[in-house]
Amino acid sequence: NQWDWQTAVEMLERAVKLDPHFVEAWSALSEACVWLFNFEQGIKWVERGEQAVKRALALDPNNARTLVAKGRLLFSPRRKFQSAAAMRLAMLATRLKPGLYQAKTLAGAVMVHIGLHEDSLDALSSVIASNPRDSQALVTFGNLCLYMGDFERADHFISQAVQIDPQSVWSNVFRPCVSLYAGRLDEAQNRIAE
């Protein structure tokens, strides 16, 4: 949740002050900033995340987690959803560290937005199978189902994401959208009010 990520940022900033060459701390800091951006949508988190990415990649240009964080920053409203660049980073991270589910989640999200729904379905299904509590994968999978017109599945996965992470901006934005797309306007209004 948001408070956990804020605590993580504080601790990681202390760690990189103590050891400015601690690649994994810089990488984790970039990831934490990305998550806080998801909660607050503040440009400060993009900027702090980009600074941490730059430091981590200067120390280790092949750090897969940092490449994913950079991709997520590029594939954000603040950076105008740079799909191609984000996808390249997700694919590179997957080649460097094949089991990194965050890379597959990013690739799945990009594929949803560029219309590669079947490919996204495969990528996100594998993430959810290995990590069923990944709220980002769940909401992205739900969003994919929404685009494909499968409103019941969309509602199921997005509702799961809300249960796991009630503060998630994306989960709470897309949950009423399912009702709107399905023509259930009263339900949508109630979900917006929640």
Side-chain angles (χ1 to χ4, degrees), residues 169-184:
V169 171
W170 297 115
S171 300
N172 285 296
V173 165
F174 288 120
R175 191 159 180 256
C177 290
V178 174
S179 304
L180 287 171
Y181 276 60
R184 301 186 303 253

Side-chain angles (χ1 to χ4, degrees), residues 4-193:
D4 291 342
W5 288 111
Q6 286 176 332
T7 301
V9 165
E10 292 168 14
M11 292 172 61
L12 291 163
E13 285 180 338
R14 279 188 245 144
V16 297
K17 281 182 185 170
L18 290 171
D19 182 359
H21 300 288
F22 189 4
V23 176
E24 289 304 319
W26 282 111
S27 179
L29 179 58
S30 67
E31 187 176 2
C33 290
V34 169
W35 277 104
L36 283 170
F37 171 70
N38 283 334
F39 286 109
E40 297 180 13
Q41 297 295 302
I43 190 69
K44 76 176 182 178
W45 295 116
V46 171
E47 291 169 349
R48 287 171 80 178
E50 287 173 341
Q51 290 168 357
V53 162
K54 185 176 180 180
R55 291 295 303 266
L57 291 177
L59 295 167
D60 179 4
N62 292 316
N63 185 291
R65 282 182 62 196
T66 306
L67 294 169
V68 171
K70 182 176 181 178
R72 289 190 59 219
L73 287 166
L74 291 172
F75 190 67
S76 72
R78 293 285 185 182
R79 295 296 177 244
K80 299 184 181 0
F81 294 103
Q82 297 177 45
S83 301
M87 182 60 88
R88 280 191 297 276
L89 290 167
M91 301 313 289
L92 176 57
T94 301
R95 280 193 304 276
L96 292 169
K97 194 170 183 179
L100 187 63
Y101 72 90
Q102 295 94 333
K104 291 179 184 176
T105 302
L106 173 59
V110 172
M111 288 185 274
V112 167
H113 286 272
I114 62 174
L116 297 174
H117 294 167
E118 293 301 321
D119 293 325
S120 180
L121 192 64
D122 292 342
L124 293 169
S125 292
S126 74
V127 171
I128 293 169
S130 66
N131 192 0
R133 294 193 51 80
D134 181 343
S135 63
Q136 185 182 8
L138 290 167
V139 74
T140 305
F141 192 88
N143 198 23
L144 170 62
C145 293
L146 181 65
Y147 291 154
M148 296 175 77
D150 189 345
F151 304 129
E152 295 310 312
R153 269 180 95 191
D155 194 44
H156 170 76
F157 284 100
I158 293 172
S159 293
Q160 268 190 303
V162 170
Q163 286 178 353
I164 291 167
D165 188 359
Q167 296 177 330
S168 167
V169 171
W170 297 115
S171 300
N172 285 296
V173 165
F174 288 120
R175 191 159 180 256
C177 290
V178 174
S179 304
L180 287 171
Y181 276 60
R184 301 186 303 253
L185 302 183
D186 290 339
E187 182 182 85
Q189 186 174 12
N190 290 337
R191 286 179 168 184
I192 290 168

